[in-house]
Amino acid sequence: MSGGLLVAGTTSDAGKSVLTAGICRWLRRRGVRVAPFKAQNMSNNSAVVVGPDGRGGELGRAQAMQAAACGLEADLRFNPVLLKPGSDHASQVVLLGEAVDTVTAGNYHEVRSRLATTAYAALAELRAEYDVVICEGAGSPAEINLRDGDYVNMGLARQAGLPTIVVGDIDRGGVFASMFGTVALLDAADQALVAGFVVNKFRGDRGLLQPGLDMLRRVTGRPTYGVVPWALDLWLDAEDSLAYGRVLGRPAAPRGTDWLDVAVVRLPRISNATDVEALATEPGVRVRLTVEPAELAAADLVVLPGTKSTVADLAWLRETGLADAVRAHAAAGRPLLGICGGFQMLGRAIHDAVESRRGTVPGLGLLPVEITFEPRKTVRRAEGTAAGDVPVHGYEIHHGRVSAADPGLAPLLRYADGTGEGARLGTVYGTHWHGAFSSDAFRRRFLTEVAEAAGRTGFKVAPDTSFAAARERTLDLLGDMVEEHLDTDALWRLIESGPPPGLPFVPPGAPPGQ
């Protein structure tokens, strides 16, 4: 077979990514060769893939997670177009893993046809190689102002003949209106592909919901394929840091007598915030995102995460008073960690003629290093050690490099060839490596050192926490939820046979071609 399905949503963050991953895991359990696909993603959370030529490339983190649900290594074709916002007006274009351009709202239409052609070709290749491709839409297909030239939602569905299901987040309210309105704002040809709905994040008695589902079917002529319950444990591999609450996950009780409190600064253009998810899987570690200077004072560890716009976010730190709070935290001898862009902020100076083009900008002066931005982005996987013998793996995505450092400055990590990476000075740490804390032994060693420096002598790391196992449990949970709460027989028929014939038109509908 060469089946396919598009999972669209009533809004961003409606649950498209997790539902796609759950369907992928369900199909894999059935022995289906399945792959994920998202034609265009807009996110600063990305993963690194090593291509056939040995070079590293980027794709959206959600598609890397969905690949794992399929039992596959991530493939750049799973997300051929990645837009990485650097400001409110411009985004970097990553095409099949490589940064090739910068677009704005004004010139996006000039490159859109090239991006669409690449995306369609990638999907065609995947459909030739796999039994089923589960596609994820972006935002909402009812963004009718963007329908002309769309190749991510109904434009993709129409081009590839994909049956489409629309998922809505009932936790936000207005789910029936948004589902009905999504269909009613589409033109007739698009509506003919929308087969039905899935309700996400439901809490309570399903019986109380049923009258609404029945009416939705009457007014649209389309069924609801399932009602997925709200789940506490679905927070790993978040597509967007805004999907996090103030506290990541559900911190388990400490193994010792002390908790460890980690404050992560929620930068305006935060990227790869998933780095700190591994810390949050540890019992007794409370990880929270904050923009409040006062909250840094009480933290045992402060983390400056990655950012797509280092210089702009450094200016924001100073404007908000967070820069002074970070310095005060470090001056008190309490642990401070900078990751990628956060590491760059900790240095003496940033020389940036590439990203912000602001030239030389003073850093926070907490590490004796200088950073120079280079036109070619470093994108690669990384392997090495910490503290002499602790294995560490991660990945790098950055324009900046350490161009000057004080002699004798200790590295935080070492590459496999022994070359030092990052820096550590007292209780201030910095690294360009993302994902290092998914290495269990390194995470335990680092948290033990942090707890000692912070005076949390009663904190003990758990010897049996596995971040890889936690991620796998999440994927299995998603597969379980699909099997238990969706009409999988109907879903299978949809994937195998395409949109049901004779789906009714829901007025008013958009004019044809809109």
Side-chain angles (χ1 to χ4, degrees), residues 16-18 20-22 24 36-49 57-70 72-85 94 97 136 235-244 248 270-278 306 339-340 379-382 393-397 432-439 467-468 470-472 474-475 478:
K16 298 184 294 293
S17 295
V18 294
T20 298
C24 286
F37 181 79
K38 185 163 185 171
Q40 175 186 292
N41 203 343
M42 178 173 279
S43 176
N44 279 331
N45 274 353
S46 59
V48 169
V49 176
E58 296 177 73
L59 84 166
R61 175 158 292 278
Q63 282 62 65
M65 178 264 289
Q66 291 159 0
C70 298
L72 301 173
E73 288 291 324
D75 184 318
L76 295 174
R77 295 174 300 173
F78 295 166
N79 175 210
V81 181
L82 174 63
L83 302 182
K84 304 189 75 173
V94 179
E136 178 188 343
W235 56 277
L236 290 179
D237 287 309
E239 176 83 325
D240 190 321
S241 68
L242 294 177
Y244 296 136
L248 270 64
I270 191 171
S271 68
N272 290 76
T274 46
D275 287 333
V276 297
E277 291 179 344
I339 302 175
C340 200
V379 181
R380 62 190 177 193
R381 290 183 177 173
H393 59 84
Y395 59 97
E396 297 178 63
I397 306 173
H432 272 125
W433 287 22
H434 293 290
F437 293 114
S438 61
S439 301
F467 183 67
R471 176 176 283 143
E472 193 65 17
T474 298
L475 296 173
L478 290 171

Side-chain angles (χ1 to χ4, degrees), residues 105-466:
N107 69 358
Y108 175 68
H109 69 280
E110 297 173 6
V111 300
R112 184 172 52 199
S113 61
R114 175 191 176 196
L115 304 183
T117 298
T118 301
Y120 292 154
L123 178 58
E125 289 181 9
L126 294 174
R127 296 191 76 180
E129 294 176 23
Y130 293 91
D131 298 330
V132 175
V133 179
I134 304 300
C135 304
E136 178 188 343
S140 164
E143 292 165 354
I144 51 178
N145 57 310
L146 303 176
R147 179 60 182 89
D148 182 30
D150 164 56
Y151 63 94
V152 187
N153 290 305
M154 301 316 298
L156 179 74
R158 186 133 21 133
Q159 196 273 344
L162 297 172
T164 301
I165 58 175
V166 176
V167 57
D169 180 356
I170 198 170
D171 205 42
R172 296 184 174 195
V175 71
F176 293 119
S178 60
M179 286 176 165
F180 174 83
T182 295
V183 178
L185 283 172
L186 302 177
D187 70 20
D190 286 351
Q191 287 194 25
L193 298 172
V194 178
F197 310 99
V198 172
V199 175
N200 190 32
K201 297 184 184 177
F202 179 68
R203 317 185 201 204
D205 183 353
R206 167 69 184 264
L208 296 176
L209 188 65
Q210 193 61 47
L213 301 178
D214 294 341
M215 182 175 178
L216 184 64
R217 181 159 194 163
R218 287 197 302 271
V219 298
T220 67
R222 292 160 171 83
T224 296
Y225 287 96
V227 177
V228 180
W230 186 81
L232 284 170
D233 295 325
L234 299 180
W235 56 277
L236 290 179
D237 287 309
E239 176 83 325
D240 190 321
S241 68
L242 294 177
Y244 296 136
R246 280 178 52 79
V247 177
L248 270 64
R250 286 188 299 161
R255 296 293 176 92
T257 57
D258 279 348
W259 284 82
L260 199 63
D261 186 54
V262 180
V264 182
V265 178
R266 195 192 288 267
L267 298 168
R269 299 161 188 86
I270 191 171
S271 68
N272 290 76
T274 46
D275 287 333
V276 297
E277 291 179 344
L279 301 180
T281 61
E282 285 288 346
V285 179
R286 179 177 182 265
V287 179
R288 55 195 167 87
L289 277 76
T290 183
V291 294
E292 298 296 333
E295 292 192 0
L296 303 191
D300 300 310
L301 169 67
V302 169
V303 179
L304 289 179
T307 168
K308 184 62 182 68
S309 299
T310 301
V311 170
D313 280 1
L314 177 57
W316 174 84
L317 280 182
R318 291 186 165 113
E319 292 164 4
T320 57
L322 283 160
D324 291 337
V326 167
R327 286 197 186 95
H329 181 90
R334 302 174 75 80
L336 170 65
L337 168 68
I339 302 175
C340 200
F343 167 40
Q344 295 165 1
M345 294 179 188
L346 296 179
R348 289 186 298 229
I350 299 170
H351 309 288
D352 182 10
V354 175
E355 194 174 77
S356 70
R357 301 180 183 178
R358 297 186 188 177
T360 297
V361 175
L364 296 177
L366 298 174
L367 285 174
V369 300
E370 294 186 18
I371 302 294
T372 298
F373 276 63
E374 296 185 338
R376 186 168 185 82
K377 184 189 290 190
T378 296
V379 181
R380 62 190 177 193
R381 290 183 177 173
E383 301 280 346
T385 58
D389 60 350
V390 179
V392 188
H393 59 84
Y395 59 97
E396 297 178 63
I397 306 173
H398 53 90
H399 283 283
R401 65 174 178 86
V402 176
S403 54
D406 279 6
L409 179 65
L412 179 61
L413 305 170
R414 289 193 180 278
Y415 291 99
D417 65 2
T419 305
E421 194 287 323
R424 57 181 301 160
L425 182 64
T427 56
V428 180
Y429 311 86
T431 178
H432 272 125
W433 287 22
H434 293 290
F437 293 114
S438 61
S439 301
D440 297 329
F442 172 63
R443 183 179 65 253
R444 294 177 190 135
R445 177 75 66 89
F446 180 79
L447 290 175
T448 298
E449 186 174 326
V450 163
E452 182 179 348
R456 299 293 186 185
T457 56
F459 175 80
K460 298 186 182 302
V461 294
D464 54 351
T465 302
S466 166

